[in-house]
């Protein structure tokens, strides 16, 4: 049986929508429909009850789902084990959003790698929702996130607080012009968005929006402007006089969390990795504490 057919089936079950499944799998909606038909023909059963805006599993579909998930996970694990180098005994996969990498993980990934000899580390950039899904499917071992998933199957731990400060390329920037002078909005997650909405009331829309702090920082350095940026990213530019901290604009912070599946078979290894991430925290928070 083609593993892609099972992956498509599982994605349709998760999204309950052929179009959304196609987007997540980076294929066309017609390809999703074709794969489902192939799977149904191969099994000799209907897997879905198709009604307008309402896709439900049939009884055979319900029975297939746990088998499909197990086969997919087993195949992925098998590929990992086979691909391990002779001197590697374990493999751990971790993921973070682009902003987590920019503001946190990039400062400690080399220490983590050197502290875990014999472990093959797979580090990826994943969106929040995708990371949560992969953790539940057990195809991702550890996720580092701003917004902790509230799912019983996952262990979630807070590992640090990241100071996020108002910075500007314009010397003399102040509260009355911070948001109106080429302001760049950076999406630092749900909690930040709620806090930012209260600060931003009455100002003109941002002239640029991005989900990545590194993009905002590079833009401000080249074109001028202002934004909320983690102090760890801005500090060297502030020290050089290229950027300025706007002292009369309120600053904020984001908690960073790690999450992994409660039944992950590599739990002791993951706990070691979490401890290494915790050791990274004092280096950042003490050196770049909010002023």
């Amino acid at each position: 049986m083609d593993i892609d057919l099972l992956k498509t089936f599982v994605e349709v079950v998760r999204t309950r929508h052929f179009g959304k499944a196609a987007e997540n799998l980076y294929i066309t909606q017609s390809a999703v429909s074709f794969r489902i038909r192939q799977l149904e023909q191969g099994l000799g059963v209907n897997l879905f009850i198709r009604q307008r805006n309402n896709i439900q599993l049939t009884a055979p579909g319900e029975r297939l789902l746990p088998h499909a998930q197990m086969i997919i996970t087993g195949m992925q694990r098998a590929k990992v084990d086979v691909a391990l180098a002779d001197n590697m005994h374990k493999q751990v996969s971790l993921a973070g959003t682009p902003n987590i990498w920019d503001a946190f993980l990039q400062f400690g990934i080399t220490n983590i790698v050197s502290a875990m000899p014999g472990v093959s580390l797979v580090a990826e950039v994943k969106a929040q929702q995708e990371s949560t899904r992969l953790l539940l499917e057990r195809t991702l071992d550890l996720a580092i996130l701003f917004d902790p998933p509230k799912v019983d199957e996952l262990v979630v731990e807070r590992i640090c607080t990241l100071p996020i400060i108002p910075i500007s390329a314009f010397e003399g920037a102040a509260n009355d012009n911070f948001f109106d002078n080429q302001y760049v909005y950076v999406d630092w997650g749900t909690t930040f968005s709620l806090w930012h909405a209260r600060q931003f009331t009455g100002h003109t829309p941002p002239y640029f929006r991005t989900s990545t702090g590194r993009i905002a920082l590079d833009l401000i350095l080249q074109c001028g402007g202002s934004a909320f940026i983690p102090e760890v990213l801005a500090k060297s530019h502030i020290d050089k006089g290229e950027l300025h901290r706007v002292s009369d604009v309120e600053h904020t912070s984001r908690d960073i969390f790690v999450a992994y599946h409660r039944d992950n078979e590599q739990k002791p290894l993951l706990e070691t990795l979490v401890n290494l991430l915790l050791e990274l925290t004092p280096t950042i928070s003490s050196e770049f504490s909010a002023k």
Side-chain angles (χ1 to χ4, degrees):
M1 185 179 294
D2 189 339
I3 194 73
D4 287 336
L5 302 185
L6 293 177
K7 289 180 179 178
T8 304
F9 166 71
V10 170
E11 191 62 26
V12 172
V13 173
R14 191 183 70 83
T15 61
R16 300 290 172 162
H17 195 281
F18 277 49
K20 291 178 181 177
E23 291 177 7
N24 294 341
L25 294 169
Y26 301 99
I27 58 177
T28 64
Q29 186 169 336
S30 60
V32 169
S33 299
F34 179 71
R35 288 182 181 182
I36 295 300
R37 284 198 303 272
Q38 278 189 298
L39 187 58
E40 289 177 328
Q41 290 169 3
L43 294 171
V45 296
N46 291 326
L47 298 172
F48 294 100
I49 301 170
R50 298 168 176 83
Q51 298 175 345
R52 184 176 179 83
N53 298 323
N54 184 22
I55 297 177
Q56 299 294 327
L57 279 172
T58 62
E62 293 280 4
R63 295 178 67 87
L64 175 63
L65 181 59
H67 296 290
Q69 292 170 326
M70 181 178 64
I71 291 170
I72 292 169
T73 300
M75 180 63 72
Q76 290 168 330
R77 287 292 185 184
K79 287 181 179 179
V80 167
D81 288 341
V82 171
L84 286 178
D86 291 340
N87 61 334
M88 298 293 184
H89 307 296
K90 295 285 185 179
Q91 177 162 305
V92 174
S93 58
L94 67 87
T97 64
N99 276 333
I100 290 288
W101 278 103
D102 286 345
F104 181 68
L105 281 175
Q106 67 161 318
F107 298 99
I109 193 66
T110 54
N111 294 337
I112 291 172
V113 171
S114 61
M116 301 182 73
V119 175
S120 175
L121 192 66
V122 178
E124 299 178 290
V125 177
K126 300 285 185 185
Q128 166 96 17
Q129 291 183 339
E130 184 182 8
S131 292
T132 302
R133 176 172 62 84
L134 293 175
L135 287 175
L136 292 173
E137 293 175 356
R138 304 195 201 184
T139 55
L140 176 68
D141 292 310
L142 191 76
I144 300 92
L145 307 163
F146 279 131
D147 298 307
K150 296 178 174 59
V151 182
D152 290 341
E153 292 92 335
L154 302 182
V155 175
V156 178
E157 297 182 30
R158 176 188 167 278
I159 54 174
C160 77
T161 298
L162 182 72
I164 298 176
I165 64 171
I167 59 100
S168 176
F170 306 121
E171 190 171 2
N175 183 64
D176 59 353
N177 60 13
F178 177 78
F179 290 107
D180 300 315
N181 195 358
Q182 295 182 212
Y183 176 67
V184 178
Y185 175 79
V186 186
D187 183 3
W188 294 106
T190 303
T191 302
F192 174 83
S193 296
L194 296 173
W195 174 86
H196 183 272
R198 296 192 297 270
Q199 312 301 317
F200 195 74
T201 303
H203 294 280
T204 57
Y207 97 113
F208 191 86
R209 292 174 177 266
T210 178
S211 61
T212 307
R214 179 65 64 180
I215 292 175
L217 184 63
D218 290 344
L219 180 66
I220 291 171
L221 287 170
Q222 295 180 42
C223 304
S226 58
F228 287 97
I229 299 291
E231 194 164 9
V232 66
L233 284 179
K235 184 178 186 300
S236 64
H237 300 288
I238 293 173
D239 292 344
K240 295 174 185 176
E242 298 170 339
L243 297 175
H244 311 278
R245 178 167 182 164
V246 186
S247 59
D248 60 347
V249 174
E250 185 177 345
H251 67 268
T252 186
S253 62
R254 287 304 325 262
D255 288 336
I256 295 177
F257 300 86
V258 293
Y260 57 90
H261 201 286
R262 291 185 182 279
D263 298 327
N264 191 300
E265 59 189 19
Q266 301 192 101
K267 192 173 181 179
L269 199 57
L270 298 184
E271 290 172 346
T272 298
L273 183 52
V274 171
N275 288 332
L276 290 170
L277 291 169
L278 285 168
E279 291 174 6
L280 172 62
T281 302
T283 304
I284 292 177
S285 59
S286 62
E287 187 178 354
F288 303 109
S289 59
K291 299 176 177 61

